[in-house]
Amino acid sequence: MPYDSTNVFAKILRKEMACETVYEDDYALAFYDLHPKARIHVLVVPKGPFRDVYDFHQKADADTIVGFHKAINATLRRLGIVPEGFKMIINTGTNGGQEVPHYHVHILGGQRVG
Ligand code: AMP
């Protein structure tokens, strides 16, 4: 399946749609989820056109993979949730319940997340 550049996160990355930014660098954009499932619910998306986690690890070069993971850590530091802990979720494809076909990592915290 090719990457669909009309997805909502692609529009946010192109600044065609607004978001509440938590962190941004050359590799990633982190912003608050529109329908939070916890007190803190943030999405981290890579800037490149990757459909899901598998697609990302298949196609991204090493710099992009490292840069994305460092951006996740920078987001966690900015949220101040590292000491208490957090949950990270990556929904993938139909069976994984992925709604938006642009790779994203959910960060959930600020409370005990079941
Ligand atoms: P997933 O099911 O893993 O694809 O998650 C998609 C997430 O994107 C859901 O938690 C939605 O609430 C969230 N979402 C959808 N549209 C927006 C938006 N415009 N801004 C922020 N979050 C969004």
Side-chain angles (χ1 to χ4, degrees):
M1 241 207 320
Y3 176 78
D4 172 12
S5 62
T6 66
N7 77 76
V8 67
F9 296 166
K11 289 179 182 169
I12 287 173
L13 285 168
R14 290 196 298 267
K15 313 289 182 201
E16 294 167 11
M17 278 182 67
C19 71
E20 198 181 337
T21 300
V22 175
Y23 176 82
E24 182 168 16
D25 64 17
D26 288 346
Y27 297 98
L29 174 67
F31 52 92
Y32 285 100
D33 195 292
L34 207 54
H35 305 291
K37 312 284 187 305
R39 275 191 209 117
I40 295 172
H41 187 173
V42 167
L43 304 168
V44 191
V45 309
K47 291 214 163 161
F50 305 105
R51 216 174 46 243
D52 55 37
V53 62
Y54 180 80
D55 193 43
F56 179 70
H57 288 124
Q58 279 292 110
K59 294 180 182 158
D61 62 24
D63 276 357
T64 304
I65 292 171
V66 171
F68 181 64
H69 285 91
K70 286 192 177 290
I72 291 174
N73 265 18
T75 303
L76 292 168
R77 277 197 302 280
R78 189 156 292 179
L79 292 168
I81 60 174
V82 175
E84 287 78 23
F86 53 87
K87 191 179 288 265
M88 286 171 58
I89 295 174
I90 302 170
N91 297 323
T92 309
T94 305
N95 284 355
Q98 183 178 1
E99 290 168 10
V100 180
H102 182 109
Y103 176 35
H104 53 282
V105 174
H106 295 255
I107 297 172
L108 297 139
Q111 65 180 85
R112 194 72 180 256
V113 184

